[in-house]
Amino acid sequence: MPEAVGLPFDERPARARPLSVSDLTLALRRLIDERFGAVLVEGELSNCRQWSSGHLYFTLKDDRAQVRAVMFRTAVRSLTFRPEDGLRVVVRGRLSVYDAKGEYQIVCDTLEPQGLGALQAAFEQLKRRLQQDGLFDPARKRPLPLWPRRIGVVTSLDGAALRDILRVLTTRHPTARVVIRAARVQGEGAAEDLMRALRAIVRVPGLDVVLVGRGGGSIEDLWAFNDERLARAIAECPVPVISCVGHEVDFTIADFVADVRAATPSNAAEIVVERADHVVARIDRARHRLRACMSVALSRRLQRAERLRGRLEQWPTRVVMAERDGRQLALRLRHAVHNRIARQTQRFTVLSRRLERCDARRAIAELRTRLAVADGRLRGAIGHRRLAAGARVATVTAQLDALSPLAVLARGYAVCWNDARTAIIRTTRGVTPGDRVRVTLAEGELACRVEDAPPHTEP
């Protein structure tokens, strides 16, 4: 170690031997230690970093200056809040010099937020952090069991809270089984003890709900319920948790994380029993409704039995009437069946005939028959008409023969024509001697000349 030397600030600068940097730094550190000692400084945190070693390094500044500061691991453990950049704090420590860099710094022993108490600041910080993690989300809250059979209680065995809880449960829900897990509820290590107790009690089989709390006290007394680890243990609890810490005006982080917050431990027990009372009330209402329904159902069945009895007394008459109706129905059925069969048979016959008429072979045979008949009729008609025509021809022939001039000529008559054969000469007045005439005979024609044409005299 270099030997300490006095500072030359008040001495004359004329010295034979210059100071080394280490000597100067050491002299400054001693001067600062003697001059300032413990200091109380307020300012704003900046460049706040906590290294893996656990030491906290930051800069404390105001509008015109800044100073570096360090808080060692043992002091950091006593902090009840998390230092953050921008937070105004009051630092208590001692001023010193960091030899390696020749910087002066404050070695902090305590650190408190300015304006708020340290506990309140820690409370607000933890509240914001857990809220950002969603631990206060109402959707995460679980409903309490309607009929809790096994109720867990995590609290101190010496506190009045346990007595209040047991008194209410014993009075209003005597059949419930209460499982108690003792834990310290204030002081150092209380949060860890509460957390272990909570994790231990939820391992009890059949546990329906857990009450975690204690009686009233100061904020320091209730501070164990503002621990982040306990809050996350409550959030991870597999069964619903009721927080009952202090009085109605006391709020802790456990109250925000728990599924239900009770104003007091007694109120927590009442909330659990109230659910049971609701079940009992529902059972009573269901019993009354069941009785009413059974009464109505019994009345309806009695009325129906009465109607059935009346019908049973009329049963013989109904049987006779039913037999008569049965016979009538059987007769009507037989007639209906017979008529239906007849209609179906007739329809079948008609359809068969239609089908037969639609048969190509039958149609062809009928056509052939009709064709043969028509052919016979045609041939007969032709023969008859031929005979009639022959007879008519013979008659006409006979008539023609009778009227034919050839027949007259055949009988020896002759026809006299003028020479030009344009006119028949019927009298002698039509010719003169010397005219040439033609005489037609039955066979052949003569060319003649008139020798004499005496006048015709009437006989």
Side-chain angles (χ1 to χ4, degrees):
M1 291 286 292
E3 185 180 357
V5 296
L7 287 176
F9 298 152
D10 298 330
E11 299 177 358
R12 296 294 180 182
R15 291 194 56 153
R17 186 172 60 88
L19 294 175
S20 66
V21 176
S22 300
D23 293 340
L24 178 60
T25 303
L26 179 60
L28 287 174
R29 180 155 56 88
R30 285 182 176 179
L31 178 61
I32 290 174
D33 290 343
E34 293 174 359
R35 173 66 179 80
F36 294 96
V39 294
L40 190 64
V41 184
E42 66 178 38
E44 180 181 328
L45 292 178
S46 177
N47 297 322
C48 190
R49 298 289 186 276
Q50 185 174 11
W51 295 91
S52 58
S53 60
H55 304 324
L56 179 66
Y57 298 91
F58 57 92
T59 300
L60 196 63
K61 65 179 182 179
D62 58 16
D63 297 338
R64 294 175 296 177
Q66 62 181 13
V67 60
R68 296 192 60 79
V70 59
M71 193 171 194
F72 294 117
R73 179 173 58 245
T74 53
V76 171
R77 290 174 180 170
S78 63
L79 288 178
T80 56
F81 68 101
R82 178 175 294 181
E84 298 175 346
D85 290 345
L87 183 66
R88 295 194 64 82
V89 296
V90 176
V91 174
R92 182 184 297 276
R94 54 187 173 84
L95 199 61
S96 180
V97 175
Y98 183 37
D99 297 344
K101 294 187 177 181
E103 297 176 347
Y104 81 94
Q105 63 180 3
I106 300 174
V107 180
C108 302
D109 296 326
T110 62
L111 192 64
E112 292 185 358
Q114 189 179 18
L116 293 174
L119 295 180
Q120 185 63 29
F123 178 84
E124 295 297 334
Q125 286 183 342
L126 179 59
K127 183 179 177 182
R128 287 196 300 271
R129 191 162 57 250
L130 296 180
Q131 189 169 15
Q132 292 174 356
D133 292 343
L135 269 64
F136 301 163
D137 188 357
R140 196 191 58 79
K141 307 293 184 181
R142 294 162 294 188
L144 297 179
L146 293 176
W147 187 255
R149 298 179 182 276
R150 185 165 294 180
I151 303 171
V153 180
V154 176
T155 187
S156 171
L157 293 178
D158 301 328
L162 179 60
R163 293 193 296 273
D164 294 341
I165 292 173
L166 293 178
R167 176 177 52 79
V168 175
L169 293 180
T170 305
T171 304
R172 304 180 62 176
H173 193 12
T175 59
R177 299 186 61 183
V178 181
V179 181
I180 302 172
R181 180 63 167 82
R184 288 182 295 167
V185 293
Q186 70 180 59
E188 187 175 358
E192 292 82 354
D193 203 14
L194 285 169
M195 186 173 57
R196 286 193 296 270
L198 181 62
R199 290 174 176 171
I201 200 170
V202 296
R203 289 197 291 269
V204 176
L207 196 70
D208 296 316
V209 63
V210 177
L211 280 62
V212 180
R214 55 154 291 165
S218 63
I219 185 173
E220 290 80 6
D221 295 337
L222 306 180
W223 192 252
F225 293 89
N226 292 323
D227 188 84
E228 181 177 358
R229 295 166 295 176
L230 177 60
R232 296 191 182 278
I234 292 175
E236 296 171 357
C237 186
V239 298
V241 177
I242 300 177
S243 173
C244 47
V245 182
H247 301 295
E248 187 171 1
V249 295
D250 299 324
F251 280 90
T252 64
I253 295 297
D255 294 333
F256 294 105
V257 179
D259 297 288
V260 176
R261 186 241 175 196
T264 62
S266 301
N267 180 242
E270 291 172 354
I271 291 174
V272 174
V273 174
E274 183 182 7
R275 306 289 293 183
D277 289 344
H278 287 171
V279 174
V280 173
R282 291 177 61 183
I283 293 174
D284 290 339
R285 290 195 297 271
R287 184 170 62 250
H288 290 313
R289 288 198 299 271
L290 180 61
R291 287 179 177 175
C293 292
M294 291 179 61
S295 177
V296 172
L298 181 60
S299 177
R300 290 178 178 175
R301 279 162 176 73
L302 289 175
Q303 294 177 0
R304 183 180 180 185
E306 186 66 21
R307 291 195 299 271
L308 292 176
R309 189 177 62 80
R311 292 179 181 178
L312 186 62
E313 291 176 352
Q314 300 175 358
W315 185 250
T317 305
R318 288 178 176 273
V319 170
V320 173
M321 297 297 291
E323 289 179 351
R324 186 197 63 184
D325 295 341
R327 288 194 296 273
Q328 291 179 353
L329 290 174
L331 181 60
R332 292 171 61 183
L333 179 61
R334 285 196 297 273
H335 286 303
V337 171
H338 182 268
N339 292 335
R340 186 173 183 84
I341 291 174
R343 288 195 299 271
Q344 294 298 329
T345 302
Q346 184 178 4
R347 184 179 180 186
F348 177 76
T349 303
V350 171
L351 292 175
S352 297
R353 290 176 179 175
R354 290 181 180 177
L355 183 61
E356 289 176 356
R357 285 197 295 269
C358 293
D359 189 2
R361 294 173 297 180
R362 183 180 180 86
I364 292 172
E366 289 181 353
L367 290 175
R368 286 177 176 175
T369 302
R370 293 174 61 184
L371 182 60
V373 172
D375 184 66
R377 290 179 179 176
L378 180 60
R379 292 179 182 277
I382 291 173
H384 179 72
R385 292 180 71 95
R386 181 184 295 172
L387 292 175
R392 291 182 61 186
V393 169
T395 303
V396 172
T397 301
Q399 291 177 354
L400 290 176
D401 290 341
L403 296 177
S404 175
L406 295 177
V408 177
L409 295 177
R411 288 196 302 266
Y413 295 95
V415 179
C416 184
W417 303 81
N418 57 7
D419 188 34
R421 292 185 61 86
T422 58
I424 297 175
I425 300 172
R426 299 182 184 275
T427 65
T428 57
R429 288 186 303 264
V431 296
T432 62
D435 294 339
R436 296 187 64 87
V437 297
R438 292 185 180 270
V439 179
T440 301
L441 303 177
E443 295 180 357
E445 187 180 59
L446 298 175
C448 302
R449 188 174 60 190
V450 179
E451 294 291 343
D452 186 16
H456 176 68
T457 61
E458 293 293 335

